[in-house]
Amino acid sequence: MTKEELKSKVCQAIADRRSDIMQLRNAIYQEPELGFKETKTAAKVAALFRSLGIAHETGLAVTGVKGRLKGRQSKQTVAVLGEMDAVICAGHPDADPLTGAAHCCGHDAQIAAMAAVAMGLIDSGAMEQLAGDVVFFAVPAEEYVEITYRDKLRKAGSIKYLGGKAELIRLGAFDDIDMALQIHLATKPEGDSFVRLGSTSNGFIGKLVHYQGRAAHAAMAPEEGINALNAAMLGIMGVHAQRETFREQDYVRFHPIITQGGDLVNVVPDDVRMESYVRAANVSALLTSNTKINRALQAGADAVGAEVKIQDLPGYLPLCNNSALNAVFRENAALLYGAEQVNVGPHEAGSTDTGDLSHIMPTIHPWIGCVHGALHSADYCVADVEAGYIKTAQAMALTVIDLLYGEGETAQDIIAADKPLLTKAEYLKFLDSFSSDA
Ligand SMILES: [Zn+2]
């Protein structure tokens, strides 16, 4: 079979599986779970792998599920990743009524597309034609949320890093993978769906802040107390006074939430806690802005005589796409979405742990613009099902074929030309350098 024949067969196989793909998507979408808690989602992925006869491991970094299809030979391994976790968006019509979790970041589409690639490669008999293996990896905890909860997991020893891919890299789950494909859905204000390639994104440092004051009667003896909420407020204001020093090209972001702001209205708040990230487009801006922000947070405590404990945690690295791998994906996406709909994306101030992976192996992270409403918000909904779930899978499957067809020369060339920004050992050492334990 020629490569072109194989590619059209795989596309058709994925199209023929449309109802299975949407059924899986609906099952994932209807039971959204937060990171490191994706037990039902993981069970659905494992059940799918069993039904497709894909050998797999479960429980990687708490909930990860990793399946592998063998090629005619096993020269290189390409991974198709799908993130399993949801975000909290209690106002979303499809949010879980108990937890408030909802798939407002489209990770349900990632799992569906990953599954669709597997179905397409199996149904078409493509693996016989490929010189390498394909890993289908359902990964946990891309959203870096519930920092306090995850820090407890960390202290209990169930994880070391608070994001899924960092944890999987540490555990060696990417050691037998040579390159990775990861998509995300994006908002499309109007017009046709689109594909954005090559967008970079911010990295960040995670942060837990604990202001300790002294309780007292809020009206009869406030002079006896030390108001930790005022300390926190001044700390945040202090960061605002730093903002003019943040350079535009560094895309610095600090967006704290107060997770505990006091217990009773008639008691001076003595225990106030915040979670935040410090984000920036590059590591040096990350480090300098983090120093300024910590200094301002400390100043808030000093102003009212409170104590503050600032705990920095390893976050994510900025994203850098592999351009040769992007070029392969681009050609296939152009066939499916139309060449004029495939563009180079700008820098995104958000962050993803795919950034971490992109530092150690060739990785791409295309954005598929097919959503109405904003990501992580109550009006999020997939406006173009075909673009989000089917074409995405076809574009990834065709890319896998380009990479591994024949003797897998394309994959070999990309690996040979790639100069990873960090080795795994350097990467882990880098993460550990951010850790200030409390
Ligand atoms: Zn996401």
Side-chain angles (χ1 to χ4, degrees):
M1 212 185 310
T2 68
K3 189 167 83 169
E4 292 318 311
E5 283 166 353
L6 182 59
K7 284 172 105 173
S8 76
K9 219 172 158 191
V10 169
C11 269
Q12 191 55 49
I14 290 173
D16 292 345
R17 283 281 204 157
R18 188 192 173 97
S19 72
D20 294 332
I21 295 163
M22 292 314 291
Q23 206 181 337
L24 176 70
R25 178 270 169 185
N26 292 340
I28 304 277
Y29 183 80
Q30 282 156 12
E31 290 193 292
E33 298 171 297
L34 292 173
F36 294 126
K37 299 174 180 174
E38 312 97 327
T39 50
K40 291 178 196 163
T41 307
K44 287 167 199 167
V45 173
L48 172 87
F49 285 171
R50 271 196 303 279
S51 76
L52 293 173
I54 299 176
H56 61 278
E57 299 166 76
T58 57
L60 299 168
V62 188
T63 52
V65 187
K66 180 184 177 187
R68 179 180 286 265
L69 279 179
K70 291 211 163 286
R72 184 185 79 246
Q73 302 169 74
S74 294
K75 289 182 176 174
Q76 299 87 22
T77 298
V78 178
V80 178
L81 309 181
E83 294 156 355
M84 293 189 287
D85 55 326
V87 291
I88 287 186
C89 189
H92 194 279
D94 298 320
D96 182 305
L98 276 182
T99 64
H103 272 297
C104 307
C105 196
H107 295 191
D108 56 310
Q110 298 184 19
I111 297 292
M114 177 197 77
V117 175
M119 291 171 188
L121 292 175
I122 292 171
D123 294 355
S124 64
M127 296 312 295
E128 320 279 296
Q129 313 281 328
L130 302 184
D133 293 354
V134 185
V135 158
F136 302 93
F137 208 160
V139 296
E142 187 253 350
E143 309 286 351
Y144 193 101
V145 296
E146 298 189 300
I147 303 177
T148 306
Y149 164 75
R150 289 190 195 175
D151 194 46
K152 278 188 198 140
L153 290 183
R154 186 183 70 82
K155 285 181 175 139
S158 16
I159 55 174
K160 180 171 180 190
Y161 302 123
L162 275 55
K165 295 189 191 69
E167 191 60 10
L168 290 167
I169 292 168
R170 175 180 80 83
L171 294 168
F174 281 99
D175 288 357
D176 57 1
I177 293 170
D178 298 301
M179 56 182 69
L181 313 179
Q182 164 78 59
I183 58 113
H184 247 98
L185 301 190
T187 300
K188 138 184 122 71
E190 56 198 26
D192 293 337
S193 296
F194 61 80
V195 176
R196 264 195 332 244
L197 292 169
S199 289
T200 48
S201 69
N202 271 356
F204 70 87
I205 298 170
K207 198 177 289 297
L208 288 172
V209 186
H210 174 195
Y211 285 100
Q212 185 66 54
R214 190 167 60 227
H217 194 291
M220 293 202 318
E223 71 280 6
E224 302 287 325
I226 296 175
N227 191 320
L229 186 58
N230 284 341
M233 183 190 72
L234 288 168
I236 292 171
M237 295 307 288
V239 177
H240 292 338
Q242 298 288 327
R243 291 191 190 271
E244 67 184 21
T245 73
F246 299 150
R247 303 184 312 167
E248 280 77 358
Q249 64 264 41
D250 292 333
Y251 294 86
V252 176
R253 298 285 190 275
F254 174 71
H255 40 80
I257 56 167
I258 292 181
T259 54
Q260 185 172 322
D263 297 310
L264 292 174
V265 69
N266 55 6
V267 178
V268 170
D270 67 336
D271 183 336
V272 170
R273 300 186 187 231
M274 307 198 307
E275 295 185 359
S276 192
Y277 305 167
V278 173
R279 308 199 206 221
N282 57 75
V283 172
S284 87
L286 203 51
L287 295 175
T288 52
S289 47
N290 192 52
T291 302
K292 291 177 188 176
I293 285 166
N294 284 352
R295 192 177 61 205
L297 295 174
Q298 175 69 50
D302 292 347
V304 298
E307 299 289 326
V308 65
K309 243 190 267 166
I310 301 170
Q311 187 186 350
D312 286 343
L313 291 155
Y316 297 165
L317 283 169
L319 173 70
C320 42
N321 287 269
N322 180 284
S323 54
L325 193 48
N326 253 345
V328 179
F329 186 88
R330 180 182 195 122
E331 224 170 278
N332 293 309
L335 286 176
L336 294 154
Y337 291 85
E340 68 293 347
Q341 294 309 119
V342 183
N343 298 301
V344 176
H347 180 77
E348 304 280 356
S351 310
T352 170
D353 56 358
T354 304
D356 295 47
L357 204 56
S358 74
H359 275 65
I360 64 170
M361 69 175 63
T363 302
I364 58 168
H365 183 287
W367 289 90
I368 313 296
C370 62
V371 167
H372 279 171
L375 299 186
H376 295 200
S377 83
D379 59 354
Y380 172 100
C381 87
V382 175
D384 184 343
V385 167
E386 191 68 19
Y389 302 98
I390 309 297
K391 287 185 192 174
T392 302
Q394 290 169 329
M396 285 198 285
L398 297 184
T399 301
V400 167
I401 292 170
D402 279 330
L403 292 167
L404 298 178
Y405 185 80
E407 293 303 311
E409 295 89 344
T410 305
Q412 271 169 37
D413 291 348
I414 288 172
I415 293 163
D418 183 54
K419 291 190 182 60
L421 293 165
L422 295 171
T423 64
K424 178 180 161 186
E426 286 166 346
Y427 164 68
L428 295 175
K429 201 171 152 203
F430 178 78
L431 285 193
D432 292 340
S433 74
F434 285 98
S435 200
S436 67
D437 226 323

